[in-house]
C-alpha cells in the first residue's frame, strides 16, 4: 500500500488524472495547479467539515446563551446577512380574550398579567435552547437553531404556563416554521426578515385557540415526526388558504401531556 502523498499536480483544463493520490498526508500538503489553457481561471480552495462540527454565525445568533453573553455582537446597522436555515416560533393570545382581559381588569392589572405570561414563555424558550427575538402584542417571536428544540418547547408551554394554577389567560396559539431568512440589527437587536419570518407570523391565522400549528417544512422533518410519534401525539393535517402553504399540521395543546 502506497504511503500518502504530500503533493498533488492538477491540470485545470483536463482535470485530475487517474494517477491522482487517493490520500494526502496530514500537514505540509502541496497543490500544484497548471493552467494549460488560453484563458485565466479563477480557483477557490475550501476546507470542508461537517456542519455539526462548525458553529456558524446564524446558529450562534439563535442561541440564548450567546445572546446573553455577547449582547453587543450584532450586525452593523443597515447590514443584511443571509441565514440559510432558521426555525422560528411565534406565540399569540386570542385577541378577543386579550381585549376582554383589559376590559375586565383594567390596563394596569391586565398588563401585569400579560407581562408575567410573556416572561414564562421567554424562560421556556431559553430553557429549550432558543432565543427571544421580540414581543409582538401579547405574543413572542423566538428563533431556534434546531427544529426539534422549537417543537419540544412549543409542546411544553401549556404545562409551563399552568404551573402556578389556573389563569384567565387562555386562547394560546403557537406556530413553528423554518426556512431561509435575512438577519439584520434593528434597535440594537438581531431580527429576521423575509418570507420565512412573515410566514412564521402568518400561519397563526390557521391556528385555533389552544393549538400548535406546524408548517410542512417543520412537520415533514424526520426528527420532528419521530418526536410526535414517540410521544403519541395526535396530529391533524388541514388545507390552508395561504398562498405558500397548501397544508399545515395542527396539534391540540390540551391533549399533550407533560413529557416524562
Amino acid at each position: 500500500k502506497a504511503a500518502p502523498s504530500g503533493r498533488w499536480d492538477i491540470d485545470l483544463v483536463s482535470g485530475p488524472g487517474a494517477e491522482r493520490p487517493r490520500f494526502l498526508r496530514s500537514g505540509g500538503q502541496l497543490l500544484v495547479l497548471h493552467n494549460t489553457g488560453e484563458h485565466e481561471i479563477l480557483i477557490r480552495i475550501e476546507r470542508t467539515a461537517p456542519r455539526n462540527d462548525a458553529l456558524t454565525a446564524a446558529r450562534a445568533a439563535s442561541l440564548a446563551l450567546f445572546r446573553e453573553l455577547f449582547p453587543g455582537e450584532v450586525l452593523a446597522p443597515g447590514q443584511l446577512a443571509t441565514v440559510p436555515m432558521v426555525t422560528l416560533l411565534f406565540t399569540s393570545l386570542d385577541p378577543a380574550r386579550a381585549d376582554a382581559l383589559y376590559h375586565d381588569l383594567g390596563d394596569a392589572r391586565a398588563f401585569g398579567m400579560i407581562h408575567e405570561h410573556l416572561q414564562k414563555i421567554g424562560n421556556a424558550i431559553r430553557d429549550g435552547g432558543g432565543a427571544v427575538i421580540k414581543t409582538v402584542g401579547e405574543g413572542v417571536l423566538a428563533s431556534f437553531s434546531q427544529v426539534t428544540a422549537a417543537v419540544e418547547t412549543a409542546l411544553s408551554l401549556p404545562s409551563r404556563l399552568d404551573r402556578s394554577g389556573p389563569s384567565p389567560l387562555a386562547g394560546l396559539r403557537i406556530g413553528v416554521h423554518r426556512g431561509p431568512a435575512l438577519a439584520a440589527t434593528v434597535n440594537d437587536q438581531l431580527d429576521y426578515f423575509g418570507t420565512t419570518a412573515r410566514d412564521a407570523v402568518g400561519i397563526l391565522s390557521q391556528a385555533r385557540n389552544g393549538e400548535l400549528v406546524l408548517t410542512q417544512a417543520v412537520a415533514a422533518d424526520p426528527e420532528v415526526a419521530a418526536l410526535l410519534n414517540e410521544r403519541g401525539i395526535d396530529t391533524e393535517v388541514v388545507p390552508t388558504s395561504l398562498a405558500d402553504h397548501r397544508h399545515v399540521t395542527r396539534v391540540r395543546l390540551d391533549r399533550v401531556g407533560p413529557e416524562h
Side-chain angles (χ1 to χ4, degrees), residues 8-247:
W8 188 5
D9 290 84
I10 305 174
D11 189 316
L12 298 178
V13 175
S14 62
E19 70 283 358
R20 67 180 184 273
R22 295 187 59 186
F23 303 99
L24 292 174
R25 69 169 179 244
S26 60
Q29 299 170 359
L30 177 64
L31 300 180
V32 182
L33 308 179
H34 303 277
N35 182 7
T36 57
E38 299 178 355
H39 305 286
E40 181 178 332
I41 299 176
L42 177 64
I43 302 298
R44 183 174 70 182
I45 300 176
E46 296 182 349
R47 179 181 181 273
T48 60
R51 297 290 291 179
N52 291 337
D53 293 343
L55 181 64
T56 64
R59 185 179 178 189
S62 65
L63 296 176
L65 181 60
F66 180 86
R67 301 278 284 272
E68 292 175 5
L69 293 178
F70 307 101
E73 295 297 324
V74 295
L75 297 171
Q79 297 296 315
L80 281 174
T82 300
V83 181
M85 186 64 63
V86 65
T87 300
L88 298 176
L89 179 151
F90 186 51
T91 74
S92 176
L93 285 177
D94 175 29
R97 293 180 181 269
D99 290 342
L101 195 65
Y102 279 105
H103 180 269
D104 295 340
L105 301 181
D107 289 351
R109 288 183 60 196
F111 171 78
M113 187 168 291
I114 290 175
H115 179 67
E116 182 182 1
H117 166 83
L118 296 178
Q119 280 190 317
K120 290 180 179 178
I121 291 179
N123 291 337
I125 288 169
R126 284 183 282 271
D127 290 346
V132 174
I133 301 172
K134 58 186 176 183
T135 58
V136 182
E138 290 77 36
V140 172
L141 180 63
S143 64
F144 289 80
S145 59
Q146 301 295 329
V147 63
T148 50
V151 175
E152 287 179 328
T153 298
L155 295 173
S156 74
L157 283 180
S159 61
R160 293 285 296 254
L161 296 175
D162 291 342
R163 285 178 181 174
S164 57
S167 168
L169 288 173
L172 178 68
R173 296 178 293 170
I174 311 173
V176 179
H177 181 42
R178 70 186 304 219
L182 296 175
T185 298
V186 178
N187 297 327
D188 298 326
Q189 292 194 354
L190 189 70
D191 203 348
Y192 294 94
F193 300 89
T195 302
T196 297
R198 290 177 59 85
D199 286 354
V201 177
I203 60 169
L204 279 186
S205 64
Q206 307 302 307
R208 296 169 296 196
N209 291 342
E211 282 187 341
L212 162 64
V213 172
L214 310 175
T215 60
Q216 288 177 281
V218 175
D221 183 271
E223 294 185 359
V224 171
L227 169 66
L228 298 176
N229 182 65
E230 289 172 2
R231 295 190 56 182
I233 296 174
D234 294 329
T235 62
E236 178 188 13
V237 179
V238 296
T240 77
S241 58
L242 302 177
D244 297 330
H245 300 276
R246 297 179 59 187
H247 299 88

